[in-house]
Amino acid sequence: MVKINNVEITEFLESFEVSISDLDSETTTRTADGTLNRDRIAVKQKIDLSFAPLLWEDMSRILKATENIFFKIYYPNPESGKYETKTVYVGDRKAAVMVKKENQIMWKGLKFSLIER
């Protein structure tokens, strides 16, 4: 189960990928012989989401769930091995292509990244 700001999105997901990144301070450097002197200050996660075709109202609900500067995501964390809630912000939301299917407007191609605060 995946929720953004308490909006359940699991059924709409096409892919869900978690990246774990180290953040180093400006004092992290390499010496002349290539030895790394590292000052890791944090480890953060980035979650890349892509969505199956969406009805207009579902597209709107997902985008509205990401409109605040920071918000919560509830997701299966591969690092901890359990479901967690983290505070994140959203990167660029890739514009989706609109298609008309019968009398419904559908959107496809929605993709964005959620980055841990």
Side-chain angles (χ1 to χ4, degrees):
M1 178 186 333
V2 180
K3 293 182 183 179
I4 298 174
N5 242 3
N6 289 319
V7 174
E8 169 76 49
I9 64 163
T10 311
E11 68 180 288
F12 307 117
L13 287 174
E14 195 167 77
S15 72
F16 178 93
E17 183 177 323
V18 178
S19 301
I20 302 168
S21 301
D22 293 335
L23 298 177
D24 293 340
S25 78
E26 64 277 354
T27 61
T28 296
T29 58
R30 287 201 180 270
T31 60
D33 69 356
T35 302
L36 179 66
N37 294 309
R38 188 169 193 202
D39 181 24
R40 181 171 64 184
I41 56 175
V43 177
K44 300 291 181 175
Q45 292 187 358
K46 180 176 87 168
I47 303 165
D48 293 313
L49 305 172
S50 65
F51 295 83
L54 297 164
L55 293 172
W56 200 352
E57 59 266 19
D58 295 326
M59 173 76 142
S60 177
R61 193 173 47 189
I62 291 167
L63 290 174
K64 285 179 181 176
T66 66
E67 69 186 359
N68 292 333
I69 296 171
F70 297 106
F71 50 89
K72 304 285 186 192
I73 182 169
Y74 177 78
Y75 71 107
N77 184 332
E79 185 176 27
S80 69
K82 60 184 180 179
Y83 278 89
E84 291 187 4
T85 300
K86 291 201 179 205
T87 301
V88 296
Y89 62 94
V90 67
D92 294 339
R93 275 78 73 209
K94 183 179 177 188
V97 177
M98 181 188 73
V99 294
K100 191 168 183 176
K101 184 177 179 183
E102 299 170 11
N103 289 333
Q104 293 273 1
I105 292 180
M106 303 281 295
W107 298 87
K108 64 179 183 176
L110 178 62
K111 294 180 183 181
F112 55 79
S113 297
L114 302 177
I115 303 100
E116 185 178 359
R117 182 175 190 182

